[in-house]
Amino acid sequence: MEIVAILIITILLVLGMPKVKGFIGEASVRLYLYRLDKEKYKVFNDVLIPLPNRKTSQIDHVVVSPYGIFVIETKNYKGWIYGDSKRKYWTQVIYKHKEKLYNPIWQNYGHIKALQEYLGIEKDEIYHSIISFSTRATLKKVDPGDSKSSVIYSSRIVSTINAHKQVVLTTKEAQQIGMKLEKTLNAAGDKKKQHIKNIKDTQRFNQYKINANMCPKCGSDLVERKGKYGNFVGCSNYPTCKFVGKTKQANM
Ligand SMILES: [Zn+2]
């Protein structure tokens, strides 16, 4: 009985952690987007758009279709949300406590700008901005004004997208955009792989030097030493250089 109680409390605590909350918020939008007609809509999650300053712009979801490009920012705030298109900060009221959040319409506008630049397609009319709040929040007084952004609950994401019926891209154009977005996903994966490869290359090169009896740190000769836990190599330049490593390895 006690164990069950502890388990329930633990689960509740884990679910309450901000990272987990964010993940759940994003995951549910991902699931909703799964319901879109796959023939017409191509969904990209967690898109990293490269920026000219070598930074990246992270977009939660991008949906490409003949009806345009839907750029979706998900928000997982709790409490009452107030804001409009013109104010720099919106307000979250929770337990009589006020917090401010950067205007998500402006934030998503930045994402669209980055996407426009990356795709080389300026036309504003093909981009649709959607700010999706989880149902944990209550959108009290949220006015998108003339920003053309939709500020909605995540449960309405599919109907909001489906409401756009005007064809603004040819099937071929939509495909080309999709291919270009595919590249950003691959590039993000490649970066991770490259990072791992760099670490492995360094390790391999260090081992190569050790096998050549050269200290990888300072280039001095290495000497075999005996320690409590077996043999190892150390730098002959000790104590100036404190390099120690495993003895020569035949397999590299
Ligand atoms: Zn050394």
Side-chain angles (χ1 to χ4, degrees):
M1 209 46 211
E2 216 172 282
I3 289 171
V4 174
I6 290 168
L7 218 95
I8 290 170
I9 289 167
T10 310
I11 289 168
L12 288 177
L13 283 175
V14 169
L15 288 176
M17 291 190 315
K19 258 202 172 163
V20 177
K21 275 185 203 163
F23 176 75
I24 292 170
E26 224 203 292
S28 69
V29 171
R30 203 179 281 216
L31 287 179
Y32 283 128
L33 293 175
Y34 215 75
R35 295 185 194 161
L36 287 165
D37 180 356
K38 281 166 195 63
E39 293 275 300
K40 289 179 181 156
Y41 299 88
K42 187 120 176 63
V43 178
F44 298 89
N45 301 305
D46 205 8
V47 179
L48 291 171
I49 301 295
L51 299 175
N53 57 7
R54 301 184 76 205
K55 286 186 185 164
T56 51
S57 180
Q58 192 254 334
I59 311 178
D60 292 334
H61 311 275
V62 179
V63 178
V64 181
S65 74
Y67 314 108
I69 303 168
F70 300 86
V71 181
I72 303 161
E73 171 65 22
T74 59
K75 291 286 172 215
N76 206 31
Y77 289 93
K78 230 185 193 172
W80 295 351
I81 308 292
Y82 299 85
D84 62 56
S85 59
K86 293 193 174 63
R87 234 168 292 213
K88 186 174 182 183
Y89 292 101
W90 287 16
T91 309
Q92 172 200 29
V93 181
I94 183 161
Y95 309 124
K96 290 182 183 169
H97 188 81
K98 276 187 191 175
E99 294 277 352
K100 59 180 187 180
L101 55 135
Y102 183 69
N103 185 332
I105 292 176
W106 291 14
Q107 183 191 13
N108 213 30
Y109 185 67
H111 293 160
I112 289 173
K113 280 279 149 216
L115 199 54
Q116 281 179 323
E117 196 142 317
Y118 175 71
L119 296 175
I121 307 171
E122 287 270 343
K123 286 185 275 178
D124 283 326
E125 61 272 23
I126 66 165
Y127 296 89
H128 307 297
S129 169
I130 302 177
I131 320 295
S132 165
F133 279 84
S134 76
T135 43
R136 291 152 37 84
T138 306
L139 302 174
K140 271 288 180 184
K141 243 178 111 180
V142 171
D143 181 12
D146 49 13
S147 68
K148 287 183 191 152
S149 283
S150 306
V151 183
I152 55 155
Y153 291 110
S154 54
S155 53
R156 283 198 50 226
I157 191 97
V158 171
S159 57
T160 302
I161 291 172
N162 281 333
H164 290 266
K165 280 290 162 239
Q166 200 194 332
V167 174
V168 289
L169 291 168
T170 65
T171 313
K172 199 174 175 201
E173 284 171 327
Q175 272 173 353
Q176 279 168 341
I177 292 166
M179 268 153 62
K180 214 155 176 214
L181 286 173
E182 202 95 49
K183 263 191 207 160
T184 70
L185 301 181
N186 292 339
D190 283 350
K191 257 187 198 162
K192 263 183 213 159
K193 269 189 215 153
Q194 188 60 44
H195 181 69
I196 293 165
K197 192 178 173 293
N198 285 346
I199 291 171
K200 279 190 177 158
D201 281 351
T202 309
Q203 282 170 347
R204 198 171 293 155
F205 192 45
N206 283 349
Q207 192 57 50
Y208 177 81
K209 286 181 188 161
I210 292 169
N211 286 5
N213 212 43
M214 183 199 273
C215 171
K217 248 185 170 172
C218 71
S220 304
D221 285 347
L222 293 173
V223 283
E224 289 263 351
R225 296 190 197 278
K226 271 191 171 58
K228 253 194 228 171
Y229 307 104
N231 291 357
F232 64 93
V233 288
C235 184
S236 59
N237 201 15
Y238 183 86
T240 311
C241 173
K242 294 190 172 57
F243 173 79
V244 289
K246 283 186 216 158
T247 46
K248 293 176 192 176
Q249 283 175 11
N251 300 325
M252 299 200 334

